Amino acid sequence: MRNAFVAIHGHFYQPPRENPWLDEIEREESASPFHDWNERITFECYRPNAYARIVDGRGRILDLFNNYSSLSFNVGPTLLSWLEQKEPRVYRKIIEADRESLKRLGHGNAIAQVYDHLIMPLANERDQETEVVWGIKFFEKHFKRRPEAMWLPETAVNSSVLRVLFRHGMRYLILSPFQALRTRSFTGGKWTDVSQGKIDTTQPYRCFLRDRSGKKSYSEYIDLFFYDGAISKEVAFGDLLKDGERFCLRLAQAYQPSKREPQLIHLSTDGETFGHHKVFGEMALAYALSRGIARQGLTLTNYGAFLEKSPPVWEVEIDEGPKGEGSSWSCCHGVGRWKEDCGCSTGGRPGWNQRWRAPLREALNLLRDDLAELYEEEGRKLFPDPWRARDGYIDLIMDRSPERIERFFEEYGHRDLDPKDWVRGIKLLEMQRHGLRMFTSCGWFFADLAGLETQLILQHAARAIDLATEFTDRPLEKRFLDLLSQGRSNVPGMGDGRQIYERLVKPRQVSLAQIVNHHAFASLSDGERRTRKIFSFHLETNREERWEKGETTLLLGQVTLRADRIPEPKSFLFLLISSNKSFGNTWVFEEGTGPDFDRLRQKGREALERGEGGPQWLFQSFPDHQAFTIGHVIKERSDEVFRPLIEKRVGDPSGIYEKIYRQAKPVLEVLTKEGIPIPYGIRLAAEFTLNQRLQQEILRLREDLRSGIGRGEVDRILKEANQSGCSLNQETPSNLLSQLLYEKMASLKKIGPSDLQDQEAMIEEILGLLSASSRWGFKLDLLMAQDLMGEILNETLRHLEESLWGFAAPMPIPSNLIPLAEALNFDTEKISKAAGLKR
């Protein structure tokens, strides 16, 4: 099949999950046992696709394959930014994959994505422009090249979207076959109806653009690929990924022998299909990409490379949906899914409706227009062209350094603006950023107004309103909620949009005073700290004083707070009174709006002398205060505050349990030997004590692994637990040992190939850890260690081959490298042969 080519596109994306006030993702219980869905899907999909296992019949690893290197893909900016910060190894594999494909094919596998995942045909042209500009600049920063194409969220498209993409140099798009309307040859002739998915998907098409009057321009066009709908559906919703060989055979069956011109057999699906939606789907994909497709006589490529070799010879017109509002890949009603109760939904129950979609869209459109009006009014005081400044704001989104901020205002601002003007400008631009993000498509995709994804977009609306209130007293929130309240949840008791907003969205709002309160309670237990990072806020302590009288503590402080996104330092005073009957009350004042430091000290000392009546007296002394309790500590970081405070009050329970266990130990051994049940309280003390000892001893292994294992303390604890009839926790020790294994493997990878002795010593430690863990009965998670082992083996094999051919100086490999690989379940035949040739 010399003319048969294959391209598989994965759309990798996660919505912005960060709390808009904290710029950090808070715990998402539905993602348990992971902290949030980004973490969970990284574990299930994004990392496995970077290190996809190719195994033999016994399950031993033959190779680790980077699927991204052979997969056409886009990664949404919200996800790629998160990966860069939280999962840098996965991020680097994605970037390397594009670089490798660019070198191999002349065109990179990565394409850009509209910056925020909004439905482009439903956005106004100004927002379409910004979204495309931001998407291109984001891509350029990370992939160090200009994109050839851009993924459209939900593949939603119409003529206005095509025009803005053409204006910014996008060469091609990937669409659903159901978005094509009719085709004809460049040589002319009649149009052929290809609606309802009847288009031949094996070739590209050229879509000539029309101006607003409907006139076609043959000098303005974008080339379109329509993916194979049947195969894509079988991958996403069928069981095609259960067998890599079957997957490849299905691709080969799509080849049309009667056609002489090159054919592109291609599919498109959510990237999360490979491993998250379809467990082990990344392994079937790895087999296909690395060998299976070639064995079927097909050539793997990407869209840019195929387009260069086989440009379109057919013209196409797209289906623009009802009233020209656009079409998409996941709604058979055009783009109705994101604006009305069209009948498409996910996750609903019998009898549910989506009539809430229209009020949600209308309310957000109203808020968008109100924000735009305010932005223009205030923005013109700072920028000659506010909308050009918004397009350029992506530079600051990606780099908040003081130098970049200054350059931004030099380029986009009026002359002679000072840093206070910069802050006002950034606040206005942040207001616009959240105003775009509140249209993220996920907010309409699922079944209910009270759903998690809808709550997320409403949080961005609330944050935009919050920023707007610094510039106007117009009732933006009231106007917004009056419309939003016309939508109702399907969940009994949730009520309408206003109630959902007030009950589920507003409580997520965090003020600067709350950050100060969080710091105050944290300072009760960990003492004065000059600086503290709380989420995206940097807090600097200028002055702090502490007094104690009996069981009462008074803490007084003056702090300066700076947010990462908005470089505006704000100073606060706080006074916290904590007693043995109450964790405390905090009074927080923005400096200049209440008493000064000395006055607050005086009132605090007087309250301290008054004893239990002090807090109430302070309430009366400062009627305009902002008062907080420990209940206002930010939930996401509450444990780091609560635990030390509780232990300070009641003491560390470990000592109490240890004493009970020590006294009861001889009795426990007798009872266990005689098979007599152990009383619950004594068992609890014993298991708590032994679990604590075990956890501490495993943590000590980090200090000196070899000596720690040789000390035999873990063995003694396990023996003691067995003799006492105690059940020990398996999960925590296994997780700690797995993390230690990963850290040791990372250290091994960093050791240079010339340091043979150090390599062998580190490998010996790792083998010792694996052996000891097995002896102790703890099952380690080897996945991340195997990822690194695969990289080490590939680097070693490459060096052996280069030295064999004289391209590199000979260098011996560690004598225990192959045993380590075998211990981590790798098939070592290939590297053993290469090492044997060298010897």
Side-chain angles (χ1 to χ4, degrees):
M1 301 182 191
R2 289 190 306 170
N3 286 332
F5 298 84
V6 170
I8 301 172
H9 185 83
H11 163 50
F12 295 91
Y13 168 74
Q14 287 299 310
R17 300 184 180 277
E18 292 81 3
N19 178 309
W21 290 271
L22 300 176
D23 277 328
E24 186 164 312
I25 300 176
E26 298 173 287
R27 181 172 295 280
E28 295 176 324
E29 297 298 338
S30 59
S32 181
F34 297 89
H35 176 271
D36 55 70
W37 279 102
N38 279 15
E39 278 192 6
R40 177 169 173 173
I41 299 177
T42 296
F43 179 81
E44 295 173 349
C45 173
Y46 308 131
R47 187 196 57 76
N49 275 288
Y51 300 93
R53 272 70 174 155
I54 298 174
V55 299
D56 62 16
R58 296 179 298 162
R60 294 182 69 81
I61 300 171
L62 297 171
D63 195 10
L64 296 182
F65 188 76
N66 183 356
N67 284 344
Y68 302 105
S69 66
S70 298
L71 185 73
S72 172
F73 65 86
N74 68 282
V75 184
T78 50
L79 173 59
L80 194 63
S81 297
W82 184 89
L83 289 172
E84 183 182 23
Q85 294 297 316
K86 303 293 186 179
E87 297 286 344
R89 286 188 181 277
V90 177
Y91 171 82
R92 285 196 295 270
K93 296 290 279 187
I94 290 171
I95 302 302
E96 289 169 5
D98 181 69
R99 193 177 303 125
E100 291 169 11
S101 60
L102 182 63
K103 184 177 180 180
R104 185 176 71 251
L105 298 170
H107 299 265
N109 283 345
I111 66 173
Q113 182 197 289
V114 168
Y115 188 80
D116 294 296
H117 204 271
L118 51 75
I119 301 302
M120 286 287 278
L122 294 178
N124 61 37
E125 290 191 23
R126 188 165 55 207
D127 289 354
Q128 291 175 2
E129 179 79 12
T130 298
E131 287 292 327
V132 171
V133 170
W134 286 12
I136 290 171
K137 287 193 174 183
F138 180 89
F139 185 94
E140 289 174 336
K141 175 184 183 292
H142 291 272
F143 293 97
K144 310 304 179 188
R145 65 179 179 86
R146 188 166 179 82
E148 294 182 271
M150 178 165 283
W151 179 265
L152 295 175
E154 305 291 339
T155 70
V157 68
N158 65 358
S159 290
S160 68
V161 175
L162 292 179
R163 284 195 296 268
V164 71
L165 292 174
F166 171 79
R167 202 159 54 239
H168 290 281
M170 297 298 98
R171 293 184 58 213
Y172 66 86
L173 283 179
I174 305 166
L175 298 178
S176 160
F178 291 89
Q179 292 177 271
L181 187 62
R182 59 180 188 168
T183 63
R184 69 176 178 184
S185 170
F186 281 179
T187 58
K190 293 183 178 180
W191 288 96
T192 300
D193 178 9
V194 294
S195 61
Q196 303 302 312
K198 297 191 293 286
I199 193 168
D200 178 2
T201 61
T202 64
Q203 61 180 314
Y205 297 84
R206 182 152 294 172
C207 184
F208 295 101
L209 305 188
R210 298 179 184 272
D211 60 24
R212 288 179 177 82
S213 68
K215 185 179 179 181
K216 186 183 294 186
S217 170
Y218 286 96
S219 62
E220 299 179 349
Y221 57 83
I222 288 182
D223 294 333
L224 303 180
F225 290 92
F226 298 92
Y227 60 79
D228 187 306
I231 298 178
S232 298
K233 186 175 181 180
E234 290 172 46
V235 166
F237 304 108
D239 58 1
L240 203 53
L241 291 179
K242 286 186 177 180
D243 184 332
E245 194 67 58
R246 181 184 167 203
F247 177 36
C248 297
L249 181 61
R250 179 67 179 88
L251 293 171
Q253 289 171 348
Y255 177 70
Q256 302 174 35
S258 60
K259 292 184 65 174
R260 300 181 63 182
E261 61 271 13
Q263 298 176 49
L264 181 66
I265 302 160
H266 60 114
L267 65 98
S268 185
T269 186
D270 286 336
E272 291 75 20
T273 300
F274 306 111
H276 171 58
H277 298 307
K278 301 292 182 181
V279 179
F280 303 126
E282 83 285 351
M283 295 177 67
L285 179 64
Y287 171 79
L289 296 175
S290 64
R291 58 198 69 183
I293 287 173
R295 287 175 178 173
Q296 292 292 336
L298 308 171
T299 301
L300 198 60
T301 189
N302 61 33
Y303 290 99
F306 186 84
L307 191 60
E308 181 179 342
K309 294 178 179 179
S310 185
V313 294
W314 287 76
E315 176 184 357
V316 68
E317 290 185 352
I318 61 169
D319 181 352
E320 298 198 55
K323 301 178 183 178
E325 289 181 325
S327 60
S328 66
W329 75 346
S330 57
C331 178
C332 59
H333 313 92
V335 291
R337 187 168 195 157
W338 299 276
K339 69 184 187 69
E340 60 198 12
D341 187 5
C342 68
C344 297
S345 67
T346 298
R349 298 178 183 177
W352 280 22
N353 66 75
Q354 285 74 50
R355 288 192 290 270
W356 52 269
R357 285 177 179 160
L360 176 62
R361 173 67 61 177
E362 291 164 10
L364 290 173
N365 283 347
L366 174 70
L367 179 58
R368 174 199 62 198
D369 295 341
D370 284 349
L371 295 174
E373 183 180 349
L374 176 62
Y375 177 69
E376 278 198 333
E377 289 174 4
E378 296 295 325
R380 292 198 184 282
K381 301 173 186 176
L382 303 167
F383 308 111
D385 184 343
W387 299 109
R388 178 174 172 270
R390 188 180 76 165
D391 287 346
Y393 185 53
I394 183 63
D395 295 333
L396 288 193
I397 292 173
M398 297 187 297
D399 179 2
R400 299 273 177 180
S401 66
E403 299 79 14
R404 191 67 196 83
I405 291 173
E406 185 173 357
R407 289 202 305 273
F408 176 83
F409 282 95
E410 285 176 356
E411 181 176 357
Y412 296 103
H414 289 305
R415 291 183 180 181
D416 303 324
L417 296 179
D418 61 28
K420 288 185 179 179
D421 295 320
W422 299 353
V423 168
R424 288 179 62 80
I426 290 174
K427 286 181 177 179
L428 286 168
L429 289 161
E430 276 294 288
M431 179 185 76
Q432 283 294 301
R433 184 175 73 89
H434 289 287
L436 289 167
R437 189 150 282 185
M438 69 190 184
F439 285 104
T440 302
S441 68
C442 310
W444 287 265
F445 190 84
F446 296 96
D448 194 67
L449 181 58
L452 173 62
E453 293 77 12
T454 311
Q455 291 180 45
L456 289 172
I457 68 170
L458 289 176
Q459 285 179 43
H460 288 286
R463 179 57 177 148
I465 293 169
D466 184 30
L467 288 162
T469 56
E470 296 196 32
F471 298 91
T472 183
D473 57 2
R474 298 172 197 167
L476 301 182
E477 190 170 54
K478 181 182 182 304
R479 282 166 52 81
F480 170 65
L481 292 178
D482 285 346
L483 270 179
L484 187 64
S485 64
Q486 296 176 23
R488 293 195 62 83
S489 169
N490 292 285
V491 179
M494 277 296 175
D496 62 29
R498 183 192 300 271
Q499 293 169 312
I500 291 168
Y501 182 86
E502 297 290 353
R503 185 183 304 152
L504 301 178
V505 175
K506 290 291 280 186
R508 308 298 287 273
Q509 185 171 352
V510 179
S511 68
L512 296 181
Q514 282 177 268
I515 300 293
V516 175
N517 174 67
H518 189 100
H519 162 76
F521 276 103
S523 297
L524 266 184
S525 57
D526 65 13
E528 180 181 351
R529 290 174 59 173
R530 184 67 181 169
T531 61
R532 191 190 299 273
K533 180 78 184 295
I534 303 175
F535 304 101
S536 60
F537 298 92
H538 299 267
L539 189 144
E540 183 176 353
T541 298
N542 304 318
R543 300 170 70 181
E544 188 169 295
E545 297 180 13
R546 179 189 299 248
W547 301 278
E548 295 185 1
K549 181 181 179 183
E551 299 295 331
T552 303
T553 300
L554 186 148
L555 188 64
L556 173 65
Q558 180 191 50
V559 297
T560 300
L561 200 60
R562 292 178 177 84
D564 283 345
R565 289 196 181 274
I566 301 175
E568 179 184 32
K570 287 199 171 187
S571 294
F572 291 86
L573 299 175
F574 71 85
L575 175 66
L576 187 154
I577 294 183
S578 176
S579 70
N580 61 342
K581 292 186 178 180
S582 168
F583 278 109
N585 297 89
T586 311
W587 288 261
V588 179
F589 308 85
E590 186 172 350
E591 198 160 18
T593 64
D596 60 18
F597 191 89
D598 293 334
R599 173 69 171 159
L600 199 55
R601 178 201 289 125
Q602 176 195 340
K603 287 291 184 181
R605 294 297 297 271
E606 291 175 8
L608 190 64
E609 294 300 323
R610 286 175 178 269
E612 290 303 320
Q616 184 60 39
W617 182 72
L618 274 173
F619 272 108
Q620 297 167 0
S621 301
F622 303 123
D624 297 327
H625 64 281
Q626 292 190 70
F628 301 95
T629 69
I630 197 168
H632 295 98
V633 166
I634 300 168
K635 184 179 179 182
E636 179 62 24
R637 300 272 181 90
S638 60
D639 189 58
E640 67 187 28
V641 174
F642 293 161
R643 183 177 296 177
L645 286 177
I646 292 171
E647 290 181 357
K648 189 175 181 181
R649 295 293 179 87
V650 303
D652 185 356
S654 302
I656 301 171
Y657 284 124
E658 176 83 34
K659 183 178 179 180
I660 296 172
Y661 171 61
R662 196 166 52 245
Q663 292 174 343
K665 184 180 175 185
V667 178
L668 277 174
E669 293 175 354
V670 173
L671 293 175
T672 303
K673 186 175 181 180
E674 297 297 331
I676 299 172
I678 300 169
Y680 173 75
I682 296 175
R683 176 185 290 278
L684 179 64
E687 292 181 350
F688 181 90
T689 300
L690 292 173
N691 275 309
Q692 287 290 101
R693 284 188 197 170
L694 179 61
Q695 183 173 327
Q696 291 166 6
E697 188 59 32
I698 290 176
L699 287 171
R700 287 181 64 191
L701 294 179
R702 278 193 169 86
E703 301 169 8
D704 188 339
L705 179 58
R706 189 189 299 269
S707 298
I709 293 173
R711 200 165 48 242
E713 185 60 26
V714 173
D715 299 271
R716 281 189 285 274
I717 293 170
L718 294 172
K719 182 179 179 181
E720 189 173 332
N722 184 56
Q723 290 175 342
S724 301
C726 295
S727 298
L728 296 185
N729 175 282
Q730 294 286 313
E731 183 178 355
T732 300
S734 296
N735 289 343
L736 291 172
L737 290 167
S738 299
Q739 181 61 30
L740 179 57
L741 172 62
Y742 173 73
E743 291 168 3
K744 290 296 181 181
M745 289 296 299
S747 297
L748 173 62
K749 192 172 185 301
K750 289 179 182 177
I751 300 174
S754 59
D755 299 324
L756 182 63
Q757 189 172 354
D758 290 345
Q759 284 182 317
E760 291 182 335
M762 181 60 69
I763 292 173
E764 198 61 36
E765 280 196 32
I766 296 170
L767 287 169
L769 174 60
L770 290 168
S771 175
S773 299
S774 177
R775 183 176 74 248
W776 295 332
F778 296 120
K779 186 176 181 180
L780 272 56
D781 182 347
L782 302 179
L783 290 176
M784 294 179 69
Q786 289 171 339
D787 294 347
L788 294 175
M789 187 76 251
E791 291 184 350
I792 292 169
L793 290 175
N794 286 337
E795 290 170 4
T796 303
L797 187 61
R798 182 170 58 251
H799 180 80
L800 288 171
E801 291 172 346
E802 288 175 351
S803 59
L804 177 65
W805 293 100
F807 298 129
M811 192 171 293
I813 68 170
S815 59
N816 47 7
L817 180 67
I818 290 174
L820 175 60
E822 290 174 343
L824 290 174
N825 204 35
F826 277 82
D827 180 281
T828 57
E829 181 179 358
K830 187 189 298 184
I831 194 165
S832 295
K833 286 182 178 179
L837 286 172
K838 287 304 299 175
R839 287 196 290 269

